[in-house]
Amino acid sequence: MMGAIAIGVAAGIVAGLLGVGGGVLFVPGLVLFLGLDQHQAEATSLLAIVPVALLGTYRQDRYGNVQRGDALLLGLMSVAGAAGGVALANALSGAFLRDAFAALIMLVAAQLVRRTLATGDQAKKA
């Protein structure tokens, strides 16, 4: 129980601070600290993200940061994508899902580093 609490608090802080999905921390935390398999961790993360997303969106909207039209479109398309993704995930092995998740996280990290370095180069030129 304490592990789940710690994972939830950490994911909530990171999601609210950086705008990343809590699943970035939920899935590895559930696998590493609570012993869930990859399918269980991903499914549990999907449900756990709902209250985080609702509260985070509410708070960001109060600051005027939410583009409602874009958010609605993203949300509607994500529902369709999630249904297909769940069906596909259940057809794949846990090992493949784990490796695909790790590759996605590495891709996102590489993109962030690339953009940060490009921003730093532009700042030096100014």
Side-chain angles (χ1 to χ4, degrees), residues 102-112:
L104 175 65
I105 297 301
M106 295 298 291
L107 180 65
V108 169
Q111 184 113 1
L112 289 171

Side-chain angles (χ1 to χ4, degrees), residues 5-68:
I5 292 170
I7 293 166
V9 169
I13 290 170
V14 171
L17 180 65
L18 302 177
V20 299
V24 171
L25 291 177
F26 283 154
V27 173
L30 291 168
V31 169
L32 295 172
F33 300 115
L34 298 187
L36 275 62
D37 69 32
Q38 193 70 25
H39 288 94
Q40 292 170 330
E42 290 180 13
T44 301
S45 173
L46 286 171
L47 180 58
I49 288 170
V50 172
V52 172
L54 290 173
L55 179 62
T57 301
Y58 171 74
R59 297 290 306 237
Q60 288 289 0
D61 190 52
R62 293 188 62 193
Y63 288 108
N65 294 331
V66 175
Q67 299 296 314
R68 291 180 181 195

